[in-house]
Amino acid sequence: MPAWTIDEEPVTGTGVDELMAQYFREMGLRVLGRPVTEGELRRVIDEDPHSGLGPPDGTFLVARDAGGEILGYAGVRLLPGVPATAELKRMFVRPAGRGAGLGRGLLRAVEAAARRLGASRIVCETNTELTEARALYTAHGYRETGPYDGHGKAEHWYAKPLGEGAARG
């Protein structure tokens, strides 16, 4: 039995902006090779807001340990103008949650949420430096594909049909 729970929570909830800042700070270190400035942090959130990760076209999932501490999170949203396609956004496992299968758990929960939103396909994007994410996606049936309309800084794009239980579009 996992040592965490994964539930839908409001993306506008208390502390979410700080969690997103933690995500972007780590991405800056890993992708840019340096700390991001506060100005860069504000700019990236303004350019790619997480407000779409809530109803009616999205969901934000939070993994918590038995004491209620957030171990990780992920969002999913329907892509505007792309029939029956959802996008995985902001999947992040904090250091305290790494190494115990939480990434797999979040990915499965995101796929189930995408199906509930009516998607029959899910896409995501990432960077070369995020080798753990790329390995996780590949191990779970995601295949590299061409770019889609996401943010302009990705280097790898993935897609996966959602299979049984997925909406038909």
Side-chain angles (χ1 to χ4, degrees):
M1 173 170 274
W4 63 80
T5 59
I6 299 173
D7 293 301
E8 292 182 20
E9 294 190 18
V11 73
T12 56
T14 303
V16 171
D17 284 343
E18 181 50 41
L19 292 171
M20 293 296 173
Q22 183 179 1
Y23 164 85
F24 283 117
R25 284 185 186 105
E26 182 166 328
M27 295 306 101
L29 287 172
R30 295 192 61 192
V31 175
L32 301 176
R34 64 170 175 79
V36 294
T37 67
E38 288 304 309
E40 288 171 322
L41 187 59
R42 283 291 113 216
R43 195 167 35 257
V44 74
I45 290 173
D46 289 346
E47 290 172 3
D48 191 11
H50 49 270
S51 58
L53 302 178
D57 295 324
T59 300
F60 188 64
L61 301 164
V62 177
R64 294 182 182 272
D65 67 14
E69 181 182 341
I70 295 177
L71 297 174
Y73 51 86
V76 62
R77 67 180 179 189
L78 294 175
L79 279 179
V82 185
T85 299
E87 180 185 31
L88 167 65
K89 295 289 289 180
R90 309 274 201 279
M91 190 159 109
F92 182 63
V93 176
R94 298 175 72 198
R98 294 179 185 164
L102 181 54
R104 284 187 304 276
L106 278 168
L107 192 58
R108 288 184 185 123
V110 161
E111 291 172 0
R115 285 185 193 96
R116 288 191 302 275
L117 289 169
S120 58
R121 177 176 177 256
I122 189 165
V123 297
C124 62
E125 57 189 11
T126 193
N127 293 87
T128 299
E129 296 82 2
L130 304 179
T131 56
E132 304 90 341
R134 293 172 51 218
L136 178 69
Y137 302 147
T138 300
H140 287 84
Y142 289 71
R143 299 292 171 249
E144 282 212 55
T145 187
Y148 62 90
D149 188 21
H151 71 72
K153 305 212 182 347
E155 300 164 323
H156 299 272
W157 297 265
Y158 292 86
K160 177 184 178 178
L162 290 174
E164 283 303 308
R168 302 290 175 221

